[in-house]
Each structure stands twice: as structure tokens, then as C-alpha cells.
């Protein structure tokens, strides 16, 4: 029962309270670049959920069963980057073959998941917090879920405000950054949950 309670706390904490985009400022490139339409934002969120969750499980296994027994913990960053790059290639090939419209909509941002610092950040956080494989995988899923929630909300707001009348200096990215800042303030309210 304690394990389920701990996993639930990690799920809520990583997805809402310590949102990877809005409180840790990781993964901003796809967050700002792919949040123009809800469909593409949800597609990017799904890809990120898959990559981060799988990367958390694989990197946890590699760290605990290969690097630690061989006393090669110093190689964690390089190994994690290679694992993440391989997973993103897998996702890209899958989308190119089976979901061509989403593949075309994501464009250059799909390969950018490889350099998305949120993916590497979660793998390193799992190691720093001494999470086991299951706990690290749940943390990865929750972090990616938080990313998806944030990017879909921002995309919804951007779609609603696309044709609003703003002063010229606020049009485009300045309004997106103001919106993201207000979202970050709103997500601070979730700190009361923990």
C-alpha cells in the first residue's frame, strides 16, 4: 500500500507541481514551437510520453544493472543520450510509416525530441533521487504527462487568441511567452496539493 501511495505522490508531483516545462523550464523548444495547434501539440505530447517513459525504464535498467556493477556511473550521461537518440529514431520511423500526417505536422520538432533536455533531465533526476526502475518509470511517465498537459493547454490558448487584437509589439512570440508565464504562475497553485 505504501508503494502505491508513493507512486501516486510522484505522479501528481511530477506532472502538476513540478511541471517540467513550467517550473523546471526544460523542454521549452518543442513547447513553444509545436504549440500552435492542439492536434500537433497532442501528437508531440504522445511522442514525448512514449519516449520519456521508455527512456526512463531503459536508462534505469542500464544504470542499475550495467553501469553500477561495473563502477562506470560516470558514463551515465553519454549512455543516456545514446539510448534517447535510439528511441527517438524508433518513434520517428514508426510515425513516418504509420501516422504520416502527424509526422509531417511535427516536422523538424520530432527529431528535436532527441535534444529535448526534458528527456535527459528525467533520466538524470531518476538517478539523483535514487529511484528504482518502477519508480523512475512512473516519474518519467508523470513528467511527460505534465509536458503534454502544458503543451495542449498552451496550444488551446494560442488557437483561441490567434485572431485577437494585440498591440503590434505583443504579437507572435511575446504573447506566447506571456501566456506561458501566466500558466507557470497558475501551476504554482498545485503546490498546495503536496
Amino acid at each position: 500500500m505504501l508503494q502505491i501511495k508513493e507512486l501516486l505522490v510522484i505522479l501528481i508531483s511530477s506532472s502538476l507541481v513540478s511541471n517540467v516545462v513550467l517550473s523546471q523550464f526544460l523542454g521549452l523548444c518543442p513547447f513553444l514551437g509545436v504549440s500552435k495547434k492542439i492536434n500537433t501539440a497532442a501528437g508531440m505530447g504522445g511522442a514525448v510520453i512514449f519516449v520519456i517513459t521508455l527512456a526512463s525504464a531503459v536508462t534505469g535498467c542500464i544504470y542499475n544493472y550495467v553501469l553500477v556493477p561495473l563502477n562506470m556511473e560516470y558514463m551515465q550521461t553519454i549512455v543516456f543520450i545514446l539510448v534517447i537518440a535510439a528511441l527517438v529514431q524508433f518513434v520517428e520511423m514508426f510515425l513516418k510509416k504509420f501516422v504520416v500526417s502527424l509526422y509531417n505536422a511535427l516536422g523538424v520538432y520530432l527529431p528535436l525530441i532527441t535534444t529535448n533536455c526534458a528527456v535527459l533531465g528525467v533520466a538524470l533526476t531518476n538517478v539523483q533521487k535514487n529511484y528504482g526502475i518502477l519508480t523512475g518509470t512512473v516519474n518519467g511517465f508523470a513528467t511527460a504527462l505534465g509536458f503534454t498537459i502544458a503543451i495542449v493547454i498552451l496550444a488551446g490558448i494560442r488557437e483561441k487568441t490567434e485572431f485577437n487584437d494585440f498591440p503590434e509589439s505583443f504579437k507572435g512570440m511575446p504573447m506566447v511567452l506571456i501566456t506561458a508565464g501566466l500558466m507557470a504562475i497558475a501551476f504554482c497553485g498545485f503546490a498546495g496539493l503536496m
Side-chain angles (χ1 to χ4, degrees):
M1 190 62 156
L2 183 63
Q3 178 77 7
I4 294 173
K5 190 175 184 180
E6 178 186 344
L7 294 177
L8 188 58
V9 167
I10 290 172
L11 186 71
I12 293 170
S13 174
S14 294
S15 61
L16 298 176
V17 178
S18 300
N19 188 287
V20 70
V21 175
L22 300 174
S23 70
Q24 297 176 17
F25 307 114
L26 297 174
L28 289 176
C29 180
F31 176 70
L32 297 174
V34 186
S35 60
K36 291 180 183 172
K37 300 289 179 198
I38 291 177
N39 292 340
T40 56
M44 174 60 89
V48 168
I49 286 174
F50 178 78
V51 169
I52 290 182
T53 304
L54 198 56
S56 296
V58 172
T59 56
C61 289
I62 290 173
Y63 183 79
N64 289 319
Y65 298 119
V66 176
L67 297 179
V68 170
L70 296 175
N71 290 324
M72 296 178 65
E73 293 93 344
Y74 59 90
M75 295 289 293
Q76 70 185 7
T77 304
I78 294 170
V79 170
F80 291 175
I81 288 171
L82 291 173
V83 168
I84 291 164
L87 289 173
V88 171
Q89 280 300 112
F90 173 72
V91 169
E92 188 173 4
M93 289 185 308
F94 176 81
L95 290 179
K96 189 174 184 177
K97 184 165 180 129
F98 297 109
V99 192
V100 178
S101 60
L102 181 59
Y103 175 79
N104 292 331
L106 292 176
V108 71
Y109 292 102
L110 186 58
L112 283 178
I113 296 175
T114 303
T115 60
N116 185 344
C117 52
V119 183
L120 180 60
V122 171
L124 294 174
T125 300
N126 290 342
V127 170
Q128 289 171 350
K129 292 187 176 183
N130 293 322
Y131 285 158
I133 296 168
L134 175 64
T135 311
T137 304
V138 170
N139 181 49
F141 173 77
T143 301
L145 182 64
F147 175 87
T148 303
I149 291 169
I151 196 171
V152 169
I153 290 173
L154 182 63
I157 293 171
R158 285 181 75 174
E159 280 187 4
K160 292 290 184 190
T161 61
E162 183 177 0
F163 300 108
N164 288 3
D165 189 26
F166 296 117
E168 192 63 35
S169 59
F170 285 100
K171 288 186 178 176
M173 196 51 68
M175 187 52 69
V176 174
L177 293 173
I178 290 170
T179 304
L182 292 172
M183 285 175 57
I185 292 170
F187 270 66
C188 287
F190 290 119
L193 289 174
M194 305 316 291

